[in-house]
């Protein structure tokens, strides 16, 4: 078949694209920008398209020539500038569905479990609006409502892996909310099965795991799968405290935790897996089979890094900021000037050197907190260079500091190791 697949560079869309190509389908993939590592397979065409601007059927019709199936996997979990739930989940998909009706193409719409008549969150209500609009088109369609999807590359999967790694974890209400997670491999298998299943109307099907279980049990199962030995201890967080924490977390860039996600969690995320099991020809895999043996080490390493990198970054920032504050007056200024003169700084320049170094420390501390992106590697290099420079000067002029019982200079070694970790972690293709 010739298939138009939106969201082909996303988590679900990416897995689907790989599977559909292996099944010898031809793909048209609207993407924001053609990827540098795009497949050399001539059956996959990546077309630069601003998804959010395609609000009319006419915007989609040129891409649908000869298309047999339209699969829409695009979705956002939080609103950002130019990307609202209403536009991304409703307005644009409805334009795509109307164009698909003109081309007589089958539509597979990825909605969400919970996008039903009881939907309350903006995420769910916008998904429900698109689903209702698709039903109103009167064309063959499948509305897929996945639960929490687990698999490589999934943002929610990475979040749950990070939560599962902590030996002591506070959870709203003690983690009694019920979830029914599904593995990405079963989601892909379900879509493959739908492509060969005839329909005349819009059919809604929940893509969820075989059984619902409390969130705390799901995390315990992931923890075992990741290879952790000690049992995770859960601390129940009262509702008011959880809502306050969610509002704070919502202010963090890229956070998946916020008031809306908390309300969705408290509602529960479960469904009837009967139809999905029939579609697959057997029950979907349970969470205890989510982490394959060959994936365990990589998942655990990623969860450890994701948990510790923010803490290490905050620690490095605190070191620079505290050093600046101490240098600016908490430590006696005459003693600081004397140390600078002993290290070889002329007395005439000692004051300038003291306040200049304090200012640089302050700048490094602030940049450590706010600088993001691949270019932040230059910050780690600059910090390493400064630490190496003054470690060398102290070794030459104040070598007795190496013998200090509190080890003020030897602590530079783990500091350098952490900065090198930051540098290596950022040295990757985004």
């Amino acid at each position: 078949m010739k298939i138009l697949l939106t969201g082909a560079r996303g988590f679900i869309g990416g897995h689907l694209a790989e599977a559909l190509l292996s099944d010898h389908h031809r793909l048209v993939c609207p993407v924001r920008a053609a990827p540098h590592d795009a497949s050399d397979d001539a059956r996959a065409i990546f077309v630069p398209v601003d998804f959010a601007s395609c609000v009319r059927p006419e915007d989609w019709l040129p891409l649908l020539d000869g298309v047999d199936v339209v699969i829409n996997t695009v979705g956002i979990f939080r609103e950002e500038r130019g990307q609202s739930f209403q536009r991304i989940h409703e307005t644009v998909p409805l334009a795509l569905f109307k164009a698909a009706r003109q081309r007589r193409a089958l539509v597979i719409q990825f909605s969400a479990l919970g996008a039903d008549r009881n939907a309350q969150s903006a995420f769910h209500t916008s998904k429900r609006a698109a689903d209702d609009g698709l039903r109103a088109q009167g064309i063959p369609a499948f509305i897929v409502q996945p639960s929490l999807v687990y698999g490589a590359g999934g943002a929610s999967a990475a979040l749950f892996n990070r939560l599962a790694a902590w030996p002591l974890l506070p959870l709203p209400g003690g983690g009694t909310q019920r979830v029914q997670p599904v593995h990405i491999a079963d989601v892909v298998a379900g879509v493959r099965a739908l492509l060969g299943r005839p329909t005349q109307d819009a059919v809604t099907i929940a893509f969820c795991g075989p059984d619902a279980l409390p969130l705390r049990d799901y995390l315990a199962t992931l923890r075992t799968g990741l290879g952790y030995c000690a049992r995770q201890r859960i601390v129940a967080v009262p509702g008011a405290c959880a809502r306050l924490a969610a509002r704070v977390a919502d202010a963090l860039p890229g956070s998946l935790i916020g008031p809306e996600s908390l309300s969705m969690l408290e509602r529960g995320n479960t469904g009837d897996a009967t139809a999905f099991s029939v579609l697959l020809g057997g029950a979907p895999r349970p969470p205890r089979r989510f982490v394959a043996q060959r994936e365990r080490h990589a998942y655990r390493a990623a969860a450890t890094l994701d948990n510790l990198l923010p803490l290490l970054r905050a620690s490095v920032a605190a070191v620079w900021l505290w050093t600046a504050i101490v240098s600016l007056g908490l430590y006696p200024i005459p003693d600081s000037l004397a140390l600078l003169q002993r290290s070889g700084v002329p007395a005439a320049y000692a004051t300038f050197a003291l306040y200049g170094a304090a200012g640089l420390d302050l700048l490094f501390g602030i940049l450590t907190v706010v600088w993001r992106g691949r270019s932040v590697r230059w910050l780690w290099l600059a910090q390493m260079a400064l630490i190496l420079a003054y470690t060398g000067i102290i070794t030459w002029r104040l070598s007795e500091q190496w013998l200090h019982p509190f080890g003020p200079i030897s602590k530079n070694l783990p500091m350098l190791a952490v900065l090198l970790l930051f540098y290596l972690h950022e040295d990757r293709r985004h």
Side-chain angles (χ1 to χ4, degrees):
M1 299 180 182
K2 185 176 182 181
I3 300 172
L4 183 136
L5 174 65
T6 67
R9 302 298 291 173
F11 168 47
I12 293 177
H15 282 271
L16 277 176
E18 183 179 352
L20 295 174
L21 285 175
S22 70
D23 292 341
H24 307 290
H25 297 294
R26 292 173 294 149
L27 300 184
V28 177
C29 303
V31 292
R32 183 172 299 176
H36 297 296
D37 57 345
S39 171
D40 293 330
D41 196 326
R43 294 169 301 159
I45 302 173
F46 291 88
V47 183
V49 171
D50 181 8
F51 184 86
S53 68
C54 296
V55 296
R56 302 174 305 156
E58 294 78 12
D59 298 327
W60 290 104
L61 286 173
L63 297 177
L64 294 177
D65 285 339
V67 166
D68 304 295
V69 181
V70 171
I71 303 178
N72 177 41
T73 70
V74 170
I76 56 174
F77 199 68
R78 60 182 292 163
E79 293 182 311
E80 298 177 354
R81 180 179 299 178
Q83 292 191 335
S84 66
F85 289 133
Q86 192 273 334
R87 177 176 285 264
I88 300 299
H89 290 171
E90 182 181 354
T91 303
V92 175
L94 286 178
L96 175 58
F97 302 155
K98 291 176 181 178
R101 182 181 61 184
Q102 295 184 40
R103 293 288 191 250
R104 304 190 179 205
L106 171 72
V107 173
I108 299 179
Q109 152 74 348
F110 268 78
S111 180
L113 198 61
D116 51 36
R117 66 186 65 182
N118 298 317
Q120 296 180 348
S121 69
F123 174 84
H124 278 147
T125 54
S126 60
K127 284 287 190 180
R128 171 64 190 269
D131 298 347
D132 288 344
L134 177 56
R135 295 183 182 104
Q137 297 299 313
I139 60 175
F142 292 103
I143 299 172
V144 173
Q145 295 186 329
S147 179
L148 300 171
V149 183
Y150 185 91
S156 65
L159 172 62
F160 286 117
N161 282 346
R162 294 199 301 270
L163 295 177
W166 290 102
L168 181 68
L169 182 68
L171 286 178
T176 57
Q177 303 86 354
R178 300 185 73 77
V179 295
Q180 204 164 338
V182 63
H183 196 275
I184 184 63
D186 288 327
V187 172
V188 171
V191 172
R192 280 171 152 168
L194 290 177
L195 291 176
R197 187 175 184 179
T199 183
Q200 297 300 319
D201 303 309
V203 177
T204 302
I205 181 169
F207 277 29
C208 55
D211 300 299
L213 70 163
L215 174 61
R216 62 188 300 161
D217 291 352
Y218 177 41
L219 294 176
T221 302
L222 289 181
R223 184 173 174 82
T224 300
L226 293 173
Y228 293 100
C229 299
R231 182 172 67 90
Q232 186 177 55
R233 299 189 179 277
I234 301 297
V235 177
V237 178
C241 295
R243 287 188 287 273
L244 176 61
R247 284 196 293 271
V248 173
D250 192 45
L252 301 176
S255 174
L256 295 180
I257 300 174
E260 283 226 338
S261 59
L262 178 61
S263 68
M264 289 189 283
L265 175 65
E266 290 175 339
R267 178 191 171 188
N269 193 258
T270 61
D272 185 353
T274 303
F276 188 39
S277 298
V278 172
L279 183 66
L280 295 177
R285 70 191 67 190
R288 67 176 182 275
R289 292 176 49 207
F290 278 7
V291 183
Q293 183 70 31
R294 65 182 181 276
E295 299 170 332
R296 173 179 294 178
H297 177 73
Y299 281 175
R300 187 171 62 240
T304 301
L305 268 180
D306 289 343
N307 279 330
L308 293 184
L309 282 175
L311 294 178
L312 290 173
R313 191 166 186 148
S315 300
V316 169
V319 168
W320 290 114
L321 294 173
W322 181 247
T323 303
I325 293 171
V326 169
S327 299
L328 289 172
L330 286 186
Y331 191 78
I333 297 296
D335 293 347
S336 296
L337 296 175
L339 279 173
L340 285 172
Q341 292 177 44
R342 288 180 55 203
S343 65
V345 178
Y349 300 106
T351 300
F352 174 79
L354 175 62
Y355 290 108
L360 185 58
D361 291 343
L362 181 63
L363 178 63
F364 276 168
I366 294 173
L367 291 179
T368 299
V369 173
V370 302
W371 199 342
R372 293 292 186 272
R374 191 163 179 251
S375 61
V376 75
R377 294 184 304 158
W378 295 106
L379 176 62
W380 312 136
L381 288 174
Q383 293 182 6
M384 284 189 282
L386 180 62
I387 292 175
L388 287 170
Y390 72 64
T391 299
I393 293 172
I394 291 173
T395 301
W396 176 35
R397 303 299 295 261
L398 302 170
S399 57
E400 70 277 4
Q401 294 293 325
W402 281 100
L403 303 178
H404 195 287
F406 293 161
I409 305 304
S410 58
K411 289 183 174 65
N412 288 341
L413 300 178
M415 186 81 165
L416 287 168
V418 169
L419 293 171
L420 180 59
L421 172 64
F422 289 164
Y423 178 84
L424 294 176
H425 187 257
E426 293 294 341
D427 189 19
R428 67 191 192 280
R429 178 177 293 172
H430 284 240

